[in-house]
Amino acid sequence: GERSTGFRGGAQACISGVTRETTPAHTIYACLESVILRLGCIMKLVNEARSSEGHIPNQGIIIASGNALEWSPLWQQMLADCSSMDVIIDADSSSEVCSRGVAMMVAGALFKRELGNPLATCNFEEPLLISHRTEPNVAARERWRIAIVRQESLINAVSSTWNEA
């Protein structure tokens, strides 16, 4: 089942638009794209929550780790383009990037709560070893926005079949 945005319990994989000309490379690209599109939906929700608190959407960077992303410049570029943010691959692969990021977010929230000001700025100085930085291609942003809408329409069109069994 789907674990984000819609939490559709019966969700199954679906690849649409397959033709005789579809190659294995197209299928791999579609799989990578589908993950990035779901991340795009999640980032959209995060940006909506942040802008309701007075933050500017799509400001910042994405610090990423993980073998699949580290070894795929294509996937890094897809993530940068879809998010309109720089993607930084952390060179310290022994670190727990996700855990560190969550800890910093919690510390920032506690700092703001302590001050009694949810809009307070909390800057942590955390050394970051950059392995690679990928900048977004601004011209690609609209294509990704349209692809997110298309994917959501496809999910909604087929989601009723997941619950019929």
Side-chain angles (χ1 to χ4, degrees), residues 32-50:
L32 294 174
E33 183 181 62
S34 69
V35 172
I36 296 299
L37 292 173
R38 293 324 306 159
L39 285 172
C41 288
I42 292 167
M43 286 185 271
K44 180 178 179 240
L45 294 170
V46 169
N47 278 327
E48 288 170 1
R50 291 188 75 218

Side-chain angles (χ1 to χ4, degrees), residues 50 53 55 105-123:
R50 291 188 75 218
E53 295 177 358
H55 297 280
M105 286 176 56
V106 169
L110 291 172
F111 173 79
K112 292 175 181 187
R113 190 175 84 185
E114 184 77 22
L115 289 179
N117 180 359
L119 298 179
T121 301
C122 181
N123 294 319

Side-chain angles (χ1 to χ4, degrees), residues 18-78:
V18 177
T19 68
R20 261 189 240 188
E21 288 78 30
T22 300
T23 66
H26 291 123
T27 305
I28 291 170
Y29 185 91
C31 292
L32 294 174
E33 183 181 62
S34 69
V35 172
I36 296 299
L37 292 173
R38 293 324 306 159
L39 285 172
C41 288
I42 292 167
M43 286 185 271
K44 180 178 179 240
L45 294 170
V46 169
N47 278 327
E48 288 170 1
R50 291 188 75 218
S51 56
S52 71
E53 295 177 358
H55 297 280
I56 300 170
N58 293 332
Q59 293 293 313
I61 58 173
I62 296 173
I63 301 171
S65 70
N67 285 335
L69 195 57
E70 288 173 14
W71 292 102
S72 177
L74 171 64
W75 216 12
Q76 294 169 27
Q77 190 65 58
M78 292 167 82

Side-chain angles (χ1 to χ4, degrees), residues 86 90 105 138 152 160:
D86 287 8
D90 189 353
M105 286 176 56
V138 180
E152 195 62 34
S160 62

